[in-house]
Amino acid sequence: MMTTYREKVAALLAGRRPYQKMGGYLDFFLIALIMINVVAIVLESVPELTAQYYHYFLLLEVISVGIFSIEYLLRLWSCVDNIDAKQLSASNLKKRLAYIFSPLALIDLMAILPTILMMFISFDLRFLRVIRLFRIFKLTRYSRAMQLLLAAFKEEGSSLLAAFFIMSVVLIMASCGIYLLEHDVQPDKFGSIPDSMWWAMATLTTVGYGDVVPITPIGRFFGGVITLLSMGMVAIPTGLLASSFAEQLRKRRDAFNEAVLHSLHDGVLDGQERQHLESLRVELGLSPSEASQAIKLMSSQRAYATYCRHCGNKL
């Protein structure tokens, strides 16, 4: 039972019951505001539009930063009452510090910090526009796919670093090889190893711009080998992310299934248990159809497990 305003704010921002519907409306409003900001920042890069609608862009920026700042402060204030934070045996100060340095909180801070700094420090407006475009990453908080992708990056961080290290080694080897084979006949394009890295990067990423190509037979053969090798190299990070993405989705479904089985210990789901499962569904980012299917599946397995399949008597 929620007794303080802080707990109510935490439930509202997290979209938990009894504020799930209101939290959904709030999320929709913030998503719409983020998209409007992204469109406005892109249009603001057109000089003619900036000169004509400068005051409207400025008004939208001030209002948006004000709303995002209030959201950030409310999340910082109420983060100690989140479900994950309550499980930690730490002071409220440590919980808030942990929240400040969390990925989602850093994204929220980046959405408001450039405009606030502009009031005290002179910035190049072009640089400021690019930084403000990072507001689109705030959608990560409301996107199930982005949350899964971030979890996949975190899970496979060491493997991805190893893959990029191998690709860096291959890049240097390809640059050195094409330099030795082509620098005599094309000194303007392969005159040094750093110059050769452009060709190696375009070839290893299978982009193949075509502005720099080997012309000697041995150079072309070497380029073909690097191209074939690059197909396998580029597939390594892709395969790691794809498998980790699927694994994160499976873990969330398994966690929900375990919660359903735990709630079915007496064979039925009462109102409070259904509310708990609904809150867990929202937290895990599962769709209502996935949750309903999981409940039906676990209920049937539970019912089947409570009866002997040989004699039919209840166990």
Side-chain angles (χ1 to χ4, degrees):
M1 187 67 180
M2 299 178 189
T3 57
T4 65
Y5 286 112
R6 194 175 64 189
E7 290 177 329
K8 295 177 180 178
V9 170
L12 175 63
L13 293 175
R16 300 197 309 267
R17 288 183 179 273
Y19 303 102
Q20 183 179 353
K21 190 173 182 179
M22 191 181 301
Y25 291 143
L26 178 61
D27 289 348
F28 179 80
F29 169 75
L30 291 174
I31 290 172
L33 183 61
I34 294 168
M35 296 307 299
I36 291 173
N37 268 261
V38 171
V39 173
I41 292 170
V42 172
L43 295 178
E44 196 178 353
S45 64
V46 181
E48 295 81 4
L49 293 177
T50 302
Q52 187 174 358
Y53 301 104
Y54 173 77
H55 296 290
Y56 294 100
F57 286 133
L58 180 60
L59 180 62
L60 176 63
E61 178 69 15
V62 172
I63 294 174
S64 300
V65 170
I67 294 175
F68 292 147
S69 299
I70 293 173
E71 179 203 5
Y72 178 79
L73 293 175
L74 287 176
R75 291 188 183 277
L76 179 61
W77 175 57
S78 62
C79 67
V80 295
D81 288 317
N82 290 335
I83 295 177
D84 294 337
K86 285 184 176 181
Q87 297 175 353
L88 300 176
S89 57
S91 64
N92 288 347
L93 177 60
K94 291 183 178 180
K95 291 179 182 179
R96 288 194 172 97
L97 288 175
Y99 174 78
I100 288 174
F101 293 102
S102 64
L104 291 178
L106 290 175
I107 291 173
D108 290 341
L109 185 60
M110 288 176 59
I112 61 177
L113 197 58
T115 303
I116 295 176
L117 290 177
M118 185 179 62
M119 300 176 183
F120 305 99
I121 305 174
S122 298
F123 271 98
D124 183 356
L125 291 180
R126 292 171 298 177
F127 174 77
L128 180 61
R129 289 191 190 105
V130 173
I131 295 298
R132 283 161 54 202
L133 273 175
F134 281 110
R135 286 177 189 169
I136 197 171
F137 288 107
K138 279 178 66 67
L139 294 174
T140 303
R141 186 183 296 278
Y142 316 104
S143 172
R144 173 193 178 195
M146 287 298 294
Q147 291 175 5
L148 288 173
L149 185 60
L150 288 177
F153 271 111
K154 184 177 180 180
E155 187 77 18
E156 299 294 338
S158 58
S159 300
L160 288 173
L161 285 176
F164 285 123
F165 173 76
I166 295 174
M167 292 182 68
S168 300
V169 172
V170 176
L171 172 67
I172 295 174
M173 292 178 61
S175 303
C176 294
I178 200 66
Y179 165 74
L180 293 174
L181 297 173
E182 293 285 328
H183 80 281
D184 289 334
V185 294
Q186 297 190 82
D188 56 328
K189 297 179 180 178
F190 299 100
S192 65
I193 293 178
D195 291 337
S196 303
M197 283 186 177
W198 171 250
W199 171 87
M201 179 63 70
T203 305
L204 282 173
T205 55
T206 66
V207 176
Y209 287 114
D211 55 341
V212 179
V213 294
I215 58 176
T216 63
I218 188 65
R220 290 178 177 177
F221 175 78
F222 181 78
V225 172
I226 295 299
T227 302
L228 293 175
L229 181 62
S230 66
M231 294 180 182
M233 295 302 302
V234 172
I236 293 176
T238 305
L240 287 173
L241 285 177
S243 61
S244 181
F245 191 89
E247 179 66 14
Q248 293 298 323
L249 185 58
R250 184 194 64 79
K251 286 181 178 179
R252 294 193 174 202
R253 288 171 175 167
D254 289 346
F256 187 80
N257 290 340
E258 290 181 6
V260 173
L261 281 176
H262 180 74
S263 300
L264 285 170
H265 66 281
D266 56 354
V268 294
L269 289 176
D270 56 27
Q272 185 176 0
E273 289 171 339
R274 289 187 179 275
Q275 288 183 3
H276 171 70
L277 290 177
E278 178 63 18
S279 300
L280 182 62
R281 178 194 72 79
V282 174
E283 182 182 350
L284 295 176
L286 301 178
S287 65
S289 59
E290 286 179 312
S292 177
Q293 184 179 2
I295 292 174
K296 290 180 180 179
L297 179 62
M298 294 298 104
S299 299
S300 62
Q301 289 183 358
R302 174 72 183 180
Y304 179 75
T306 54
Y307 290 90
C308 179
R309 58 183 176 179
H310 300 293
C311 63
N313 295 326
K314 191 171 183 179
L315 298 177

